[in-house]
Amino acid sequence: MLELIGFDGDDTLWHSEGYYQAAGAAFRDILGGYVDVTDRHVQDSMLATERRNLKLFGYGAKGMTLSMVETAIALTDARIGARDIHRIIELGKTVLEHPVELLPGIRAAVEAVATRHAIVLITKGDLAHQEKKVAQSGLADLFGRIEIVSEKNEATYRRVLGEFDLAPAQFAMVGNSLRSDIEPVLALGGWGVHMPYHVTWAHELDTGLSGEEERMLTVEDARGIPAAVLRLGERAAASLAAP
């Protein structure tokens, strides 16, 4: 049976990616004064720079801002002016300062799951920014534990489960990203509830999952989470009882 349920933060509990997308659009407007931003190469260059810098800067608005500056300098052959560099830095600040708005029905969904299971929040990104969002969300009191991690991979989930002294088959993760929230958990032998968000960062689209995995259920919105967790719990119990 399921003993522990994990919840992602960004775009699962509260809105996030939309602010990054808005900053990205404003960034392209700034670059439009120097290069042809209709060229797909601009977006591809930004994504490649972000991916290259992940090991140095990690996830989040600060890393994105540094990658925007680096991309702007590279694509303009260092012609971009100091005033526009400052505008890019201000874009990053707007993302860091965005209000925390919960997804509809998410508090009720988390509360319902917490009546049956221990729950943990597992979110990745810049520590200070994520701590701020958790505090402003008003949800911190619901979780027995909060994990802010630099990456969500098999090693991270294995460590968390080890600290709870649980096997992967006793754990289910709820999140919007197949790549970060679901795929590594399923690979370990755990379970997943996928709640797609209406917009996803291109980096998070890189996954080997088809979306129809046996150990995963997909829900349209937060209202479907408690029932999905219950169904996965039944499947988990049946798998343990099977000879």
Side-chain angles (χ1 to χ4, degrees):
M1 60 181 295
L2 295 178
E3 298 287 346
L4 180 68
I5 309 300
F7 282 85
D8 169 51
D10 292 342
D11 300 321
T12 298
L13 300 182
W14 51 74
H15 295 284
S16 176
E17 182 59 23
Y19 297 102
Y20 286 87
Q21 295 282 335
F27 169 65
R28 291 189 292 275
D29 286 343
I30 293 171
L31 279 189
Y34 301 88
V35 299
D36 179 8
V37 294
T38 63
D39 187 343
R40 179 69 191 181
H41 176 63
V42 172
Q43 293 188 47
D44 291 343
S45 295
M46 177 61 189
L47 180 60
T49 302
E50 287 185 290
R51 283 176 165 163
R52 186 171 62 248
N53 287 337
L54 281 175
K55 290 184 179 180
L56 291 173
F57 305 145
Y59 293 90
K62 295 175 186 177
M64 179 197 69
T65 304
L66 290 170
S67 292
M68 286 194 296
V69 171
E70 181 180 342
T71 302
I73 292 171
L75 291 181
T76 65
D77 295 322
R79 291 183 295 111
I80 190 167
R83 187 183 301 275
D84 284 329
I85 292 291
H86 178 71
R87 290 172 64 193
I88 292 171
I89 292 172
E90 289 300 309
L91 289 178
K93 290 181 180 180
T94 63
V95 177
L96 286 169
E97 296 170 347
H98 74 73
V100 176
E101 179 187 359
L102 297 182
L103 270 66
I106 196 63
R107 183 178 181 93
V110 175
E111 288 176 337
V113 173
T115 63
R116 292 176 174 268
H117 305 277
I119 61 172
V120 58
L121 171 58
I122 308 176
T123 183
K124 72 180 179 184
D126 177 78
L127 178 62
H129 193 201
Q130 292 302 109
E131 285 181 334
K132 178 182 176 183
K133 287 193 281 189
V134 170
Q136 292 181 349
S137 73
L139 298 175
D141 62 299
L142 299 179
F143 293 95
R145 182 164 174 170
I146 295 171
E147 289 275 347
I148 298 174
V149 300
S150 58
E151 184 61 274
K152 286 182 175 178
N153 52 26
E154 290 181 39
T156 295
Y157 289 109
R158 188 181 294 111
R159 174 186 62 78
V160 172
L161 290 171
E163 293 175 2
F164 278 93
D165 195 25
L166 292 174
Q170 297 172 294
F171 174 70
M173 184 69 185
V174 180
N176 69 293
S177 171
L178 288 173
R179 181 184 187 276
S180 296
D181 301 319
I182 309 298
E183 187 168 25
V185 174
L186 298 190
L188 290 174
W191 307 81
V193 176
H194 182 222
M195 185 175 70
Y197 194 66
H198 68 276
V199 60
T200 303
W201 182 30
H203 178 70
E204 293 295 333
L205 295 175
D206 184 13
T207 177
L209 299 183
S210 67
E212 298 182 358
E213 280 64 28
E214 183 180 352
R215 302 177 73 88
M216 182 191 84
L217 292 173
T218 299
V219 298
E220 292 186 1
D221 54 39
R223 292 173 298 180
I225 293 174
V229 169
L230 184 61
R231 287 176 59 193
L232 287 181
E234 292 171 348
R235 292 184 186 181
S239 68
L240 290 174

